[in-house]
Every structure is written in C-alpha cells, then in structure tokens.
Amino acid sequence: MLLLAMVAVLVSVHGFWRGPDSLLVVGYSLSPPSWPPALDGFKIVAVGDIHGGAPFIDESKLKEMVRLISAQKPDLIVWLGDYVIHGILGGTFMEPELVASILAGAEARYGQFAVVGNHDRQLGLERIEKAFERAGIPILRWARKTLVVGETKLHLFGMDDFELSPDYWPTFRRAEEEWRKIPPAEPLLVLSHSPDLFPWIPSRVTLTIASHTHGGQVRFPWLGSPIVPSSFGQRFARGPIVEAGRHMFVNTGIGTSIIPIRLGVPPEISVLTLRALKAPASTERR
C-alpha cells in the first residue's frame, strides 16, 4: 500500500506540476512525396493550443516559448488555434490581445500565420482576428497565402475550425476547387486546428498541419492516450501521420484544457524540417 501511495504521489506531482510546466523543443524530419528539392531543409515551427491563462501558461511562459522558437531560426511559424481558455481548473483568462502581442515577437524568415480553434470561436472570432491583425499576424480562415521562396511558390491554406455541419462542406468543396488549380510542382500546406478533417483532405495537399488533441494530455506506455478529443480516438492523436500516401502532422500543444494535467505528453514546440525524397539510384546497365 505504501508503494502504491508513493507511486500515486509521484504521478500526481508529475502530471499536475512538472508535466504541464515543462516546455520541449522537438524536431521532426518529414518527407512528403511531392516536396520539391528546391525547398529541401525548409523549417517550420508548429504550435497550437496555447490556451493563454491556463495553469503554468502565463506571460513569462509565452515569452520563453517565443525565445525558444526564434532560437530555432525557422523559415516559417504556424499557430494552430485555441489561444484562450474556457472553464479550466485553476486558470485565469488571458486577453487574446496580450497573447497575440507576445506571439508576434517570434522571428521567422518568411513570417508567421495563424488559424482559429474551437475555444477562439467560443470567445468570438471577430475579437481573435482583430487581436492578431493588430499584432501583425495574419489569420487564414478559408484563405490562402502564397510565399515565394527562391524561385518556388509555397502555398498556405488556412481552414476554419472543423465542424461536421452542412454549411461547412460547401466552403470546403470550393477550397478543394482552388487547390486543384495550383500547379502540381508548387507545394500546398493546409493548416487546420482539428486533425479530424484529414480523411477528407485530397492527395493534392502536400502536408496538413493540425493540433487540438493535446495528444490526449495523458499517455501511458503501451496503452497510449485513453481520452483524445477526436472522433477518431488515438488515430490522429499526435506526431507524423501517413495514410494512403497523404501526410499530416499533429502538434500536441502547449496548454491544457478542462483538467490541468500533462502526463507522458509534455508541452511541445514542434520543429518540422521538410526534406525532398531522393531519387532512387538507377539500376540500368550501361
């Protein structure tokens, strides 16, 4: 019994204090099939679910995050939604204007772009969008931004927060039509708060980048995360995902939601280095 009590204490200390108070920088090397050789090594920092005002997510933590991101010298920063909190134990609401002004301090060669999440929608998208606009961070909601990197065009398309509702799909279909018009040699990144739209993402999209799940906030060895806020359970919980040749990356976020716990899923700044696939060596006899 004493051993069980000690284990319970250690788990509680780590889950409710050390876990959510940590902040890791984790690198990933991704090789979507159509990534162009001209952009080999392109570096993207992806961060979602900041939840400013959640326990341990105060101004100093956000400033530390910005410092760590800038130190990676990324080419691009993408913010993946949920900048505010609603109803989390021990949390104190942080104004989105303050969150946006701090995030704007992060440095990237080709700038930073954002999408909205479900908590942002609950607060009010107009306020979120105005806060980010004033801070100089474009929010892409059903909108595209084209970057010119050397002689290559790189397209970013930001989705609205994913909803299984009738009015969502007509706009989604119009987005698909726009994607089809982009030349195949030009990579297309789709930014979404939720990963749940991935089954409907066409193969024309080079890489989808999402968050929302927090990785389940709790992850056990061999068992995984028992609770993931996704219709697909653990299928899209975290990290790189490849299905039918289509690629997605899911960032596990910085803050917490509902219960301020992080066990086995520490807050993460994801650094994605995009690599072009090398052509296989020729076996032709000469």
Side-chain angles (χ1 to χ4, degrees), residues 185-197:
E186 298 174 4
L188 168 62
L189 305 180
V190 165
L191 312 179
S192 171
H193 177 63
S194 172
D196 278 16
L197 85 170

Side-chain angles (χ1 to χ4, degrees), residues 73-122:
K73 299 188 183 304
D75 293 298
L76 180 68
I77 300 168
V78 294
W79 306 110
L80 299 168
D82 275 4
Y83 309 103
V84 295
I85 60 170
H86 290 277
I88 183 171
L89 294 173
T92 302
F93 179 74
M94 183 181 291
E95 303 285 342
E97 292 81 8
L98 175 59
V99 174
S101 68
I102 295 174
L103 300 188
E107 298 177 356
R109 184 177 181 184
Y110 295 97
Q112 48 183 302
F113 298 87
V115 293
V116 296
N118 54 301
H119 284 262
D120 307 319
R121 181 176 291 279
Q122 292 175 38

Side-chain angles (χ1 to χ4, degrees), residues 34 36 144 146 152-155 182-188 204 206:
S34 59
R144 179 174 56 155
T146 299
T152 304
K153 289 184 178 180
L154 171 62
H155 303 274
I182 298 173
E186 298 174 4
L188 168 62
R204 171 60 190 91
T206 310

